[in-house]
């Protein structure tokens, strides 16, 4: 079993903003309400990460309606930046990677096996996440604005095993796990209800956009994928985390209290998506209830 922890050089060098002509950085930062200094620092990474999480919702409306969302940057900006819509991990993290590179960070795109609810089963790598190099720092950071779940990261955290990170009422850590590969697995854990809970496991092997095209199509169109049959929406605010699964809404407040209720009809579902999640559905969208 390998136990190396040496930093991996980013597979994609950080370009200057002029090398990302299709990215409207001003529009993106306005969308997430961020107006800090545009410099590639750890503070900027954490701050923009949190603003993205709180500014753009998680949702899988497009797969439920029968198609895989486009991962082309122009399409992502039209949907996540210029419209009152959200997306899931491939959309969020593809956009966020472009933003980080435009700001001067180095980014390696990774894929993870989700463990939430897996009960020991080995799932395929169906989650996109990012490994970020900060200029002038030897350590790398794990960034992930597309997990959606309350167990997901609010801010980027150092890629360091064993250290607890507290941010915005959430507590996380990364642990190493033996694995028959070039290095041990990295496992993201969240401290929930008095215990550590695995969120997902990954290695630092770089993935390419073509890989995500295949995984995205599988997640969106495979008849066995829950994303094709059940509507999921998540939104994190400073006051609470909102999670919608089908027609069941769960609100977890900052003090840990939870409220659960069932929506009554498609009209209420549309209203809740609009007012509570910030998701404005096309008039032609017809979601089964």
């Amino acid at each position: 079993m390998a136990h190396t922890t040496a930093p991996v050089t980013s597979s994609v060098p950080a370009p200057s903003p002029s090398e990302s002509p299709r990215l409207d950085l001003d529009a993106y930062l306005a969308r997430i309400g961020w107006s800090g200094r545009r410099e590639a620092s750890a503070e900027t990474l954490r701050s923009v990460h949190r603003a993205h999480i709180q500014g753009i919702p998680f949702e899988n409306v497009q797969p439920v309606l029968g198609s895989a969302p486009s991962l082309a940057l122009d399409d992502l900006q039209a949907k996540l930046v210029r419209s009152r819509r959200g997306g899931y991990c491939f959309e969020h993290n593809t956009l966020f990677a472009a933003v980080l590179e435009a700001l001067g960070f180095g980014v390696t795109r990774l894929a993870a096996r989700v463990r939430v609810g897996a009960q020991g089963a080995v799932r395929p790598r169906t989650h996109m996440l990012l490994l970020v190099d900060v200029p002038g720092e030897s350590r790398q950071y794990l960034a992930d604005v597309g997990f959606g779940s309350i167990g997901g990261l609010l801010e980027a955290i150092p890629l360091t095993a064993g250290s607890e990170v507290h941010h915005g009422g959430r507590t996380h850590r990364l642990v190493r796990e033996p694995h028959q590969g070039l290095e041990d697995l990295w496992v993201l854990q969240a401290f929930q209800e008095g215990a550590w809970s695995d969120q997902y496991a990954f290695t630092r092997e770089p993935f390419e956009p073509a890989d995500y095209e295949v995984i995205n199509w599988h997640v969106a169109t495979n008849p066995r994928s829950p994303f094709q049959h059940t509507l999921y929406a998540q939104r994190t605010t400073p006051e609470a985390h909102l999670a919608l699964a089908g027609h069941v809404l769960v609100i977890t407040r900052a003090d840990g209290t939870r409220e659960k209720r069932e929506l009554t009809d498609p009209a209420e579902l549309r209203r809740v998506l609009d007012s509570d999640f910030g998701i404005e559905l096309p008039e032609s969208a017809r979601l089964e209830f």
Side-chain angles (χ1 to χ4, degrees):
M1 303 293 181
H3 293 272
T4 177
T5 58
V8 174
T9 302
S10 174
S11 61
V12 181
S16 67
S18 62
E19 293 176 322
S20 302
R22 292 186 299 133
L23 176 68
D24 189 341
L25 188 58
D26 291 339
Y28 168 82
L29 295 178
R31 168 75 159 116
I32 66 172
W34 191 87
S35 58
R37 294 186 61 183
R38 300 186 187 186
E39 58 182 13
S41 66
E43 180 181 356
T44 297
L45 173 61
R46 289 191 292 266
S47 178
V48 175
H49 193 290
R50 180 190 283 253
H52 183 117
I53 292 286
Q54 295 182 343
I56 307 178
F58 176 100
E59 48 108 325
N60 69 323
V61 171
Q62 203 161 334
V64 170
L65 294 178
S67 65
S70 169
L71 301 184
L73 185 56
D74 288 343
D75 294 333
L76 292 175
Q77 291 184 100
K79 183 183 179 192
L80 276 67
V81 175
R82 292 190 289 272
S83 300
R84 294 182 68 245
R85 288 291 305 277
Y88 56 11
C89 69
F90 309 111
E91 298 170 275
H92 278 280
N93 282 322
T94 297
L95 175 63
F96 196 58
V99 168
L100 293 180
E101 289 171 337
L103 290 171
F105 295 94
V107 181
T108 303
R109 295 150 176 82
L110 308 179
R113 303 182 193 276
V114 176
R115 289 189 171 180
V116 177
Q119 298 180 334
V122 178
R123 290 170 169 167
R125 297 194 193 197
T126 56
H127 178 62
M128 181 182 182
L129 60 158
L130 306 172
L131 189 61
V132 182
D133 290 290
V134 177
E137 287 200 25
S138 59
R139 65 180 180 178
Q140 297 174 296
Y141 289 79
L142 175 66
D144 182 3
V145 295
F147 196 53
S149 167
I150 195 171
L153 297 177
L154 185 61
E155 298 179 356
I157 65 173
L159 190 74
T160 304
S163 298
E164 295 185 17
V165 181
H166 307 274
H167 50 152
R170 300 184 185 185
T171 300
H172 289 90
R173 71 179 181 184
L174 288 163
V175 298
R176 304 300 300 275
E177 187 176 289
H179 171 65
Q180 293 182 337
L182 296 178
E183 68 170 21
D184 288 350
L185 291 172
W186 290 89
V187 181
L188 177 69
Q189 296 182 329
F191 194 73
Q192 299 174 304
E193 299 180 359
W196 289 103
S197 174
D198 289 359
Q199 302 301 298
Y200 50 72
F202 62 95
T203 62
R204 294 178 294 176
E205 177 187 359
F207 277 60
E208 300 295 335
D211 298 318
Y212 299 117
E213 291 289 346
V214 173
I215 305 171
N216 178 44
W217 180 85
H218 162 80
V219 169
T221 67
N222 189 320
R224 296 177 60 186
S225 171
F227 273 25
Q228 191 188 42
H229 304 291
T230 303
L231 174 66
Y232 295 102
Q234 309 244 2
R235 184 186 178 193
T236 298
T237 72
E239 296 79 26
H241 178 83
L242 290 74
L244 178 70
H247 57 273
V248 178
L249 175 65
V250 177
I251 302 173
T252 305
R253 296 183 174 82
D255 61 4
T257 59
R258 300 175 72 212
E259 173 189 343
K260 179 179 179 181
R261 66 186 178 93
E262 294 193 14
L263 307 184
T264 58
D265 54 48
E268 184 183 18
L269 173 61
R270 185 179 284 269
R271 286 196 303 271
V272 166
L273 287 173
D274 190 317
S275 62
D276 296 355
F277 289 88
I279 298 171
E280 184 177 4
L281 297 181
E283 287 297 328
S284 59
R286 294 292 181 267
L287 296 173
E288 295 185 6
F289 197 81

